[in-house]
Amino acid sequence: MALSAGTRRTVACLLVGLGALLIVAAVMIPTYTISKLAKTPLDLEITTIATNQPGEDSLVLDSKSLTAPEGAAKIETNVPLISQRFLTVEEPSDATEMTVQAGQTLRRIDKQGDTGLLTATVDRVTIDRKTGEPVAKDPNGSIAVTVNKDMESIADPVQHTGLQYRFPIGTEKKTYPYFDVNARKSFDVNFIEESEINDMKVYHFQMSVPVTNMWDVIQAPTNKLSLPASKWGLEGDDPVTMTRFYTNTRDLWVEPQTGTVIKGGEQIHLYYARSGDHPDVTALKSHLVFDENTIESQISVAKENIDKLSLYGRIMPIVLGVLGVAAVVGGVFLGIRGGTGAGRRGPGRGRDDAPTEQIRIQKNL
């Protein structure tokens, strides 16, 4: 059924209006949605597990040998280690900021219960949900490494700087500051190369923590010990004071679109020494790397976020843009066609508007 000129003009206007609305939506959706997706979600829960690498040194100081009546400090070799970190979001958290808590343990799996626990840390930091960097508050975080008599962690206020548990969305091939929980300072993490892990593109970053005097970081009893020289493997029985030092090389493989850390590794070295440049007794030395289950889990998280970014940042804008342009073109074409037809027929008269025939009827008188 043919449409009248007035109806065509109405439909044309509706199509143009709808098309303009779709085009505006195509432009605005990525701008608005990506800014929302660029924020770290408040329901974040991440568990990562790292284990020592086979064939590489995995050394642990037997702490009981330090207090034994006889014999020097004993360093155990080929110790199977597992590092586990559980990350959650705590209060205070809101639309722009969030508090991240990471509980991390390092234990030897050849011993049961608390006897196998080597270190335990609870780290809290309030970060900007977009940049991932700590907020400008003092203090903006805390670190707990000890507990009270009720086995509750004792947290020390610690000012955090730099990135830590995630990289920004749109990670670049550049140097970022990165916070080290043990040294309680940030150091440069440098871009090394672009590579792939299980067919996913990643950026490899590396960070070197210089030799750090742990007594200067926190004056815990284990960070400075005075024992007979023989305990340290030295000659004589005169007391010798040793300080614990720490150094680390950290590798991070990051999915750049989402800033997800796909794989992480640490070549950690803790040792006692009279001088930082000359280790005397190793306390811990191992190369810990995310296991395969953790890597696959992180890849799944990254893919899910990549799909969201792709849907709202590319697919929907393209579809809406195409539909919008088609609607505008169709509306303009229909409007022009309707207007041309009306002009050809003349004002007030269409093709079927013939003059009314007058019929004369003679009345018989």
Side-chain angles (χ1 to χ4, degrees):
M1 179 178 178
L3 297 177
S4 67
T7 302
R8 282 196 294 268
R9 285 193 294 269
T10 301
V11 173
C13 290
L14 290 175
L15 285 175
V16 171
L18 176 61
L21 182 63
L22 290 173
I23 292 172
V24 170
V27 174
M28 294 302 296
I29 281 179
T31 304
Y32 175 78
T33 306
I34 295 300
S35 67
K36 295 292 184 183
L37 294 176
K39 293 182 179 180
T40 306
L42 293 176
D43 59 350
L44 193 68
E45 285 191 5
I46 297 176
T47 299
T48 59
I49 296 175
T51 56
N52 62 290
Q53 297 302 284
E56 299 187 42
D57 283 341
S58 188
L59 311 176
V60 176
L61 171 63
D62 180 1
S63 58
K64 291 183 178 179
S65 67
L66 294 177
T67 57
E70 297 181 357
K74 180 183 177 182
I75 312 299
E76 299 185 65
T77 61
N78 300 319
V79 179
L81 299 175
I82 183 169
S83 175
Q84 185 172 11
R85 184 175 67 204
F86 183 53
L87 188 146
T88 58
V89 178
E90 308 293 336
E91 294 296 337
S93 295
D94 54 34
T96 59
E97 300 176 358
M98 63 190 293
T99 299
V100 176
Q101 176 173 289
Q104 184 162 334
T105 60
L106 176 63
R107 62 175 61 247
R108 49 189 304 171
I109 59 177
D110 59 345
K111 292 190 176 183
Q112 299 297 318
D114 292 340
T115 58
L117 183 64
L118 300 177
T119 63
T121 305
V122 178
D123 178 42
R124 288 173 64 96
V125 57
T126 302
I127 64 173
D128 183 286
R129 290 181 61 193
K130 285 189 176 181
T131 66
E133 296 184 355
V135 298
K137 296 178 181 177
D138 190 3
N140 55 21
S142 64
I143 297 176
V145 293
T146 58
V147 295
N148 58 23
K149 61 180 181 180
D150 298 322
M151 300 304 292
E152 298 172 336
S153 60
I154 302 174
D156 298 323
V158 175
Q159 189 70 8
H160 290 58
T161 57
L163 303 175
Q164 198 168 355
Y165 299 112
R166 62 160 293 178
F167 279 66
I169 285 181
T171 297
E172 300 179 49
K173 299 177 180 181
K174 67 177 188 179
T175 297
Y176 291 93
Y178 198 89
F179 187 77
D180 184 273
V181 173
N182 295 317
R184 303 191 178 186
K185 291 177 61 178
S186 62
F187 303 94
D188 286 345
V189 59
N190 301 305
F191 172 77
I192 302 298
E193 62 180 352
E194 179 180 319
S195 61
E196 286 190 357
I197 295 179
N198 298 350
D199 298 324
M200 173 168 280
K201 183 179 77 172
V202 293
Y203 290 172
H204 178 198
F205 292 87
Q206 189 175 81
M207 163 187 172
S208 295
V209 180
V211 173
T212 303
N213 186 324
M214 293 304 294
W215 180 256
D216 293 339
V217 176
I218 178 172
Q219 296 184 359
T222 55
N223 285 338
K224 183 177 285 190
L225 296 174
S226 292
L227 297 171
S230 58
K231 278 292 176 186
W232 300 117
L234 304 174
E235 294 184 358
D237 290 322
D238 292 336
V240 174
T241 299
M242 295 275 188
T243 303
R244 188 156 71 162
F245 292 88
Y246 161 75
T247 184
N248 196 353
T249 298
R250 178 174 288 110
D251 290 280
L252 300 162
W253 287 265
V254 180
E255 194 290 306
Q257 293 186 61
T258 64
T260 304
V261 178
I262 302 299
K263 180 180 177 181
E266 293 187 341
Q267 299 176 56
I268 186 171
H269 190 193
L270 284 163
Y271 58 89
Y272 287 100
R274 290 160 289 179
S275 173
D277 58 357
H278 181 75
D280 286 298
V281 176
T282 293
L284 172 68
K285 185 177 183 181
S286 190
H287 185 192
L288 302 162
V289 179
F290 283 4
D291 65 9
E292 281 302 317
N293 287 336
T294 298
I295 293 172
E296 286 299 328
S297 176
Q298 293 298 92
I299 287 176
S300 296
V301 171
K303 284 182 177 179
E304 181 180 349
N305 290 326
I306 288 173
D307 290 342
K308 289 179 181 178
L309 290 171
S310 177
L311 174 63
Y312 293 103
R314 185 171 65 253
I315 296 175
M316 284 187 65
I318 290 175
V319 172
L320 292 176
V322 170
L323 291 176
V325 171
V328 170
V329 171
V332 170
F333 176 78
L334 187 61
I336 292 174
R337 181 184 178 189
T340 302
R344 185 172 59 247
R345 296 178 191 116
R349 178 174 294 182
R351 178 180 301 172
D352 300 325
D353 293 338
T356 302
E357 182 179 355
Q358 294 183 357
I359 301 175
R360 296 179 179 275
I361 301 177
Q362 291 185 351
K363 189 180 294 184
N364 295 323
L365 297 176

